[in-house]
Amino acid sequence: MADPIRWARYRWQRLISTEGREGSRPSNSSNKYHQSSKAIGKHRIVIPCLGHFKEEYEKVSKLYMNNKIRTTKYTLLNFLPRNLFEQFHRVANLYFLFLVVLNWVPLVEAFQKEIAMLPLVAVLTIIAVKDGLEDYSKYKMDKQINNLLTKVYSRKEKKYIDECWKNVNVGDFIRLSRNEIIPADMVLLYSSDLDGICYIETASLDGETNLKQRQVVRGYSEQVSEIDPEKFSSRIECESPNNDLGRFRGFVEHSNKDRVGLSKENLLLRGCTVRNTEAVVGIVVYAGHETKAMLNNSGPYYKRSKLERKVNTDILWCVLLLILMCLTGAIGHGIWLSRYSEISFFTIPEPDGKLIPPTLAAFNVFWTMIILLQVLIPISLYVSIEIVKLGQIYLIQNDIDFYHEKTDSTIQCRALNIAEDLGQIQYIFSDKTGTLTENKMVFRRCSIAGQEYCHEENAKRLESYQEMDSEDGDSADHQCGSSMHISKWEGDDCRAVNEPLNRKSVNLLSGSHSALGREDGAGDAPHSGHVAFSSPIETDVIPDTQLLKKFGQISSHSCDQSEASSKLSLETMYITDFFLALAICNTVVVSVPSQPRQKMRLSSLGRMPIKSLEEIRQMFQRLSIRRLSSSPLPNVKESSSESPSSFVSKLSVFRMKMASPALDETAQRAAELHNMDSPENSHVPQELDMVNVAACCEHNSATSSIELSPLPKLCYEAESPDEAALVHAARAYRCILQSRTPDQVTVDFAGLGSLTFQVLHILPFDSVRKRMSVVVRHPVSNKVVVYTKGADSVMMGLLRTASEDTNNSEVEQMKIKERTQKHLDDYARKGLRTLCIAKKVMSDAEYAEWLNHHFLAETSIDNREELLLESAIRLETKLTLLGATGIEDRLQEGVPDTIQALRKAGIKIWMLTGDKRETAVNIAYACKLLEPDDRIFTLKSQNKSPGFSAGLVIDGRTLEHVLHDSLQNIFLELTEKCRAVVCCRATPLQKSVLVRLVRNKLKAMTLAVGDGANDVSMIQVADTGVGIFGQEGMQAVMASDFAVCQFRHLKKLLLVHGHWCYTRLTNMVLYFFYKNVAYVNLLFWYQFFCGFSGTSMTDYWILILFNLLFTSVPPIIYGVLDKDVSAEVLLQLPQLYMMSQKSLAYLPSTFWITLLDAFYQSIVCFFVPYFTYYGSDIDIFSFGNPINTAALFIILFHLLIECKSVTWIHTVVVVGSILFYFVFTLAFGATCKTHNPSSNPYWIMEQHMTDPVFYLVCLLTTCVALLPRYLLRVLQGTLFPSPVLRAKHLDRLTPEEQREAIKRWRDDSVVNCRVELHTISGSSSSVTALETRGSPAGFCTLAQHDLTFPFRKQAF
Amino acid sequence: MAVNYSAKEEADGHPSGGVGMPGGGAGAGGAVKTRKPDNTAFKQQRLPAWQPILTAGTVLPAFFIIGLIFIPIGIGIFVTSNNIREYEIDYTGTEPSSPCNKCLNVSWDSTPPCTCTINFTLEHSFESNVFMYYGLSNFYQNHRRYVKSRDDSQLNGDNSSLLNPSKECEPYRTNEDKPIAPCGAIANSMFNDTLELYRIDNDTRTPITLIKKGIAWWTDKNVKFRNPTGDGNNLTALFQGTTKPVNWPKPVYMLDPEPDNNGFINEDFIVWMRTAALPTFRKLYRLIERKNNLQPTLQAGKYSLDIAYNYPVHSFDGRKRMILSTISWMGGKNPFLGIAYITVGSICFFLGVVLLIIHHKYGNRNTSADIPN
């Protein structure tokens, strides 16, 4: 139900160009407010309506809108005039109106005035009703939203009272509790959270479900008690309302003129939900339509499809034809009239008794003819196209193959009018990460201090996942998959329990675990958003043996360190820092999954730095255990195939000690038992208690009930999957990120226990710097440390150079740098994503100096971004390289297959990625974008010999040069000769420039597919933008025209739906042209026999209803349901896509052939009755009736000839149309004696129904008219069958035969190519080499070649 | 069968929105509703369909069948048409030799009317009922403004329209401030020649009875055309307050002495009011009924046609004809339809043969290429 309404709105915005821009911004008043608020300057001043500010408040706040919203376009009163006004912005309606008005001029009047209005009235009414309904639903929504309650501070009652949203004003204090929705944009002044944080969920705004942190304005967070609005005496100055969600600038000025900077971190956005925070208080700064959410709420934009553009040009031809016909009529009438010197019986004199002069009469007739032949301009075509597109979209959305079980999502068609463009794609521009790959980052390798740790066990684990995936295929198995692991794990774990007495606790444990496991499995289904980046494959990392050993050493060392610190070797220090950096240098939010939105908090004990003797003792104990462990490896491996629970890996450490195989089986059985009927409700304790952790260590004691009490699973919510992967990797080495607040990060470091770092700054990631940094104060050394991670290309340049002091460590550092670079290159070659980790220790003085500058940058309003950037760059210098990581991003399911199919379909695929060259090339190979035979060109290569398959790889820096005007053409020429182009290190801007370049210069249909915010510009520029519901939020989806869940869905979307939509719509459009021309020409021919006077031989009602009712539904059904080739065959033979890609169904010649056929048919349809009735006593309408009836049959049967598949719906509609026609004409003929003055078909149909000649005429006319088209189709089908036609033959075969035939078809083309491969070059020529060779014509010939081959072989 | 099956499935699939869906059974609550599309034949576009493939082989029978049906029909029609007797005289009088040449320039109101007589000989006798037509050529009764120039409700006996005719009738709506009945250009230009037919038998002219009733459509005479209603049946009184059309010599209520053929329901008038579709047309004028089975209606022999020549057609190069014709089930004489059927039938047959050849030469490769042997 929502879709038609959305559709209607769409149409609106498109048709009403001036109003449409405003989208949901309804009233002029809002504009006025805007201007006035602008008038007072760039900034807005927000003052609370309290106490001494009152006067100023009243002065200022009047200028701002209140929180009442009205998104409706109309009110009850202005609906009719305004709606009509808007409707007449539409060209089509204006044309109608013009005709109606024309018809009111008596001299040219062709139809009766009222009847001529019928089409216009029908269209206006339908759209008005649609608008009305849509607006009413909006009104109801508005009302509902406006009347939501929120707590607003009331001055009178000195407390927060319930108030409707619509009564909230700028400057009001609002208090919100957990899970309440934020009513207006407000600055956060208080949060019940001790750290002054508030979590919000922005799902309703951008669809992202991970929590965002917001911070109380600095200076207010220290307050212990809730802020008292009465005492708030500051004024807030901020920028004027704008729609940039990611930016908010302003400052709070206290009464003592102190200024505190405000950023988006302080702003709570309307529409978001408060989570995890008991209560927050904020002051409203933007309300109602001025909130960022509302300003962002602009309507969808409109793209015009290629087919539609073509239709428009053909409609211009129709206009030309119409004018030509009308001119013929006018001239003919003039000549005819000039033959008569005096008034004859049938020429009616003017009121003055004289005959109208022929020229004037001719002029009048011209307009009359326009009215009469108006149908030639197929206005109904536009309406029908839209209905057909709606139907097509409906069918696409309901395709079960696009359903993705894991995310419970299916395809979303956000643009409703470019479905047929899917059938014409020539270029696909694909993002890599998240589009081709799963964007599930898996930690694979790392290099620390120049030493590589290859994590072989982890690789094995991943392989096993891959196998599991391929075996299961179905995601439904995930749940049992994880439960299987659980039981396995439990089996292992039970070894830890060496006393039967402990059975109970084991049960408890297993119960809770299976519950956990289930939750995990369920998490994959509908609410997977809550646990982003946390599927087991990503979270479980098996530590590298070697590294683990070293780690063990550090731990002990660091323990020592707490007493005597300087014994650390350089390497172990590196390792420690490396993992700390992994754990700290990010923006991951920690929460506990058992209570999904409950923020993870440490107990007060946990918050204290570990200093107590007791803990140190425990730590030692733990370490000694580890040292004792003889064979840690296998166990560790087992454990880590488990679901993402940190404590599991922890426990695995302990379990190894008490392995008692004898108990194994019984315990396992017990575990299984409990697995089956495990209670769902087993609750995991919420707090992580250090004592608990410690207790775990005391393993050999019999207090296993404590030891086994499950620890809470930590859930990391990261903004990017890389971060999550790194944090999880760190956790595998028991460097566990425990909690994160804006001020501090707590890491549970294996050897050291819980370390709490004071966070001084976070310099977030941006695409310019390509790195992020965290500035912390190290709890042990108490120094300021900067941890930075980023792309190696930038990081390597920032490292400390050897100039300062040349001691050992510097030399060492150089070596590390060299070796790390080697590893990085190696990683990249293996297709891993690489990151460099570095750190920098600052003295307090250095830090203080930097801080000063930074502070200035933070508080500036105007060019804060640049200043912050500069400041960050100043900080990130002279870094010490710690190491590098290699993260794998696995290919999505079915990607190579899809790429191959699309390639076969003649689509060129470009990969545009921000990753580095080696990674990109590697992925390109993996997904069959590049093939081993391919010769890879870098751009510098001058070799342009086109004989072999070539791939072009180009990186961002080169791209910049290439995109200069002078080189563009050469570059494109080169790319045309390559079968694949990979652009790496491309910025979002470059991506979109490339797409635009190809689109404009090559005049090609482009499709851009991506999943992240960096793909948005590319998606918007391309003819068709496809978003993928990915791990990185919804921006890409929001900007896209189609949103799919998986890359592989593109295959069916393009090959099947694209093909269908295109051919359906094309055929329907051509049919419409045919229908209108054929029908209108009947009237035209008649003009030759009525003195070109504009008489119609058919009753006006029937004439107008013919298009409106009798022949309107079948073409729509045809356009929605026709199926030339079945989906299976289309998928198996991607070559068929080229038919629609090259617009073979709608060549310019096709249009003219169609018109020619229409002319022929109309001539037959007119002249067969003409000669039959020539010279007889037939009257006008009796003459018109057989013509009209025959035309109906011709037009409907023509459709049946063109139909590729006839379902019962087609039958019903066609038969229904015919029946409806007869019923209507019979009823009309029986009833209208006088109602219909000046045109009176009384009893004519009845008379004809009893007349055999009528039937004979209809039969003959229909047969003769359709004969050529029928013959043409037959000959086409026999002599020159198109590939589509031949594919259609396949549908008729039994499945086995079909499979064999398809195989042969494909084999033949392969053999075909193989032969060429061997004969031509023996080098790297392949079928695709041919494809790349040349122009579009080359594609065609290849297609023909491929497809005709099997048959030719048979024939000879 | 397939149709029923699909219809049912669709009907099931639509309103319930996923009764059959796994996990989606919550229905009214909608809380557990998945977004999984229904797996119905309609939504998945798997409706059973007839997929016609037009190849020479498949359509061969159609061509032969059409040929075989059309040719006999054509022959039948042709024979029927040929059996119709038709005789036509042009009495316009444009040729100086024509007896009616003297009347060529008559005007509407010449009294007494110009009369002329044309003698003619029927070579064959007319066996069945004979229809007598008058034919006009180059007369554009289908001119747009002419066609509209009438008031149907006036003709239907509507009293208010009688006195206040429709504007469409302009400029033949009123005359000297009196409404014209019947108004409009069509009525005004009504054909008013009088034709009388005599058989000349040894120089004696025996008039042939021309029946003037039954020439109009029954529905026109009895439903569509009605005299005004009022007290009494005196048409003169009923048409009180109206005036005759300008060109008419006498008012509408004096068209015929017989009351059931007078006024608006005069059949000559009704026939005229049914405007012809083409500029060359004929209109039924009189019927000559066959008296008995022994004699033909019109024997072969000499006849003479007496014409009261009132209707001027010379100004627009019109022609006037008198046509005598018998009639068959398919109307008057027209060889076109028969010939057309025979031609089309032959063409189809011929095409059938051509397709047969094509099918034998090329058709096999299609089917055999795809279907493994």
Side-chain angles (χ1 to χ4, degrees), chain A residues 70-83:
Chain A
R70 192 169 75 89
T71 57
T72 58
K73 208 180 258 160
Y74 311 108
T75 62
L76 214 55
L77 276 178
N78 75 7
F79 177 74
L80 212 60
R82 187 157 179 181
N83 186 260

Side-chain angles (χ1 to χ4, degrees), chain A residues 109 345 1086 1172 1256 1292, chain B residues 45 51 108 144 277 334 341:
Chain A
E109 173 189 354
F345 299 121
Y1086 188 58
T1172 309
L1256 287 173
R1292 295 212 148 175
Chain B
Q45 310 195 46
Q51 300 200 306
W108 283 100
R144 177 173 56 92
N334 189 346
Y341 262 95

Side-chain angles (χ1 to χ4, degrees), chain A residues 849-862:
Chain A
E849 192 198 336
W850 176 80
L851 191 64
N852 266 337
H853 287 283
H854 191 70
F855 188 69
L856 279 179
E858 261 185 342
T859 45
S860 70
I861 290 186
D862 286 331

Side-chain angles (χ1 to χ4, degrees), chain B residues 189-244:
Chain B
S189 61
M190 185 177 156
F191 182 77
N192 60 353
D193 282 2
T194 322
L195 305 175
E196 277 164 14
L197 196 62
Y198 297 90
R199 176 176 159 74
I200 301 173
D201 216 3
N202 306 325
D203 291 340
T204 51
R205 283 159 48 106
T206 32
I208 291 170
T209 328
L210 302 175
I211 300 164
K212 57 186 173 187
K213 283 202 236 172
I215 56 173
W217 291 17
W218 186 90
T219 46
D220 281 1
K221 169 132 182 155
N222 293 292
V223 184
K224 194 172 165 183
F225 287 81
R226 298 279 75 194
N227 276 324
T229 46
D231 309 327
N233 285 326
N234 188 352
L235 280 181
T236 320
L238 291 172
F239 280 102
Q240 192 68 46
T242 64
T243 181
K244 69 176 177 65

Side-chain angles (χ1 to χ4, degrees), chain A residues 180-209:
Chain A
E180 281 185 345
I181 302 170
I182 300 163
D185 289 357
M186 50 196 218
V187 168
L188 185 61
L189 294 177
Y190 165 80
S191 165
S192 60
D193 187 290
L194 290 175
D195 305 308
I197 309 175
C198 157
Y199 291 90
I200 59 172
E201 190 186 275
T202 55
S204 59
L205 216 56
D206 55 12
E208 296 175 34
T209 48

Side-chain angles (χ1 to χ4, degrees), chain A residues 96-164:
Chain A
F96 271 130
L97 188 70
F98 167 69
L99 290 174
V100 167
V101 170
L102 206 57
N103 214 24
W104 279 86
V105 180
L107 282 175
V108 298
E109 173 189 354
F111 296 157
Q112 220 196 333
K113 299 176 186 81
E114 292 79 10
I115 299 172
M117 288 170 73
L118 202 70
L120 181 66
V121 170
V123 169
L124 292 184
T125 318
I126 289 170
I127 294 186
V129 166
K130 220 161 23 186
D131 283 352
L133 284 178
E134 179 200 342
D135 219 43
Y136 180 65
S137 70
K138 269 194 204 164
Y139 165 77
K140 280 205 300 197
M141 276 301 284
D142 286 352
K143 200 171 156 191
Q144 201 186 338
I145 289 172
N146 280 333
N147 288 330
L148 286 174
L149 290 181
T150 189
K151 287 223 185 297
V152 178
Y153 186 79
S154 156
R155 266 171 61 232
K156 280 186 205 140
E157 301 181 36
K158 303 279 182 219
K159 63 173 186 180
Y160 292 96
I161 56 163
D162 279 340
E163 192 73 75
C164 289

